[in-house]
Amino acid sequence: MGASDEPRKAILRILSEPGKPQMGISSATGSSLSPALSLLGSAFSEAADIMPFKADELFGFLHFRLHTAHQAKKRSRWSLGRVYNRFSGQSAEYIPLSGTQLIQTFSAAGIQAPDFIVIRGRYELRLDYAQQAYDALKKQIEV
């Protein structure tokens, strides 16, 4: 599957702009500690998303994301599977990545990342480009 197999679909989709909080204290519910724990968990998640991977870690991460997308593609063949994909947020055509992960994925595929990509952004990359990076990393790791 080459990068030119799907010319009509966008290569990249922007999910969120950096700097705009996705969840605030007002959206947290439960005990008085719940908002603090939610914000703490969100901070750890964001910190993990901006840390660059080593080559073998990026390979494992892409392996998981590609596998998830392939499972979503199988489910999309039947109506309840499409409903499941919609509610779970899983796509059969794109994988979600942070800005750091996207920049690293483009680099692994030998592609210059666009200038508008920011580290704290949330994006979706078309599956064939993610596969291209995965294949390149596989060759690099096996050497």
Side-chain angles (χ1 to χ4, degrees):
M1 183 177 226
S4 62
D5 289 348
E6 302 182 39
R8 291 186 210 114
K9 294 181 183 164
I11 295 168
L12 185 64
R13 297 192 298 198
I14 300 171
L15 297 179
S16 68
E17 297 175 351
K20 291 187 177 180
Q22 299 300 310
M23 186 181 87
I25 293 175
S26 62
S27 64
T29 60
S31 72
S32 61
L33 290 178
S34 185
L37 292 176
S38 294
L39 290 175
L40 182 61
S42 179
F44 281 125
S45 177
E46 185 176 324
D49 283 346
I50 63 173
M51 290 296 298
F53 286 123
K54 296 177 190 168
D56 60 333
E57 295 169 339
L58 182 60
F59 176 77
F61 177 80
L62 289 175
H63 179 84
F64 173 75
R65 294 289 190 188
L66 288 166
H67 176 74
T68 301
H70 291 302
Q71 294 299 319
K73 190 171 207 155
K74 287 179 186 177
R75 280 192 303 272
S76 69
R77 295 181 190 143
W78 49 289
S79 59
L80 289 178
R82 287 188 295 276
V83 170
Y84 178 87
N85 287 346
R86 179 174 290 275
F87 283 111
S88 67
Q90 294 179 356
S91 172
E93 300 168 344
Y94 292 88
I95 63 166
L97 300 166
S98 71
T100 300
Q101 296 159 351
L102 181 60
I103 291 167
Q104 286 190 283
T105 300
F106 273 136
S107 178
I111 300 169
Q112 177 67 37
D115 291 335
F116 64 83
I117 296 174
V118 293
I119 291 172
R120 295 183 191 274
R122 305 293 310 158
Y123 306 92
E124 284 186 330
L125 180 64
R126 202 170 71 196
L127 213 52
D128 55 336
Y129 281 84
Q131 187 68 52
Q132 185 179 343
Y134 177 82
D135 294 342
L137 285 166
K138 186 174 184 177
K139 287 179 186 175
Q140 179 184 343
I141 290 171
E142 289 177 348
V143 171

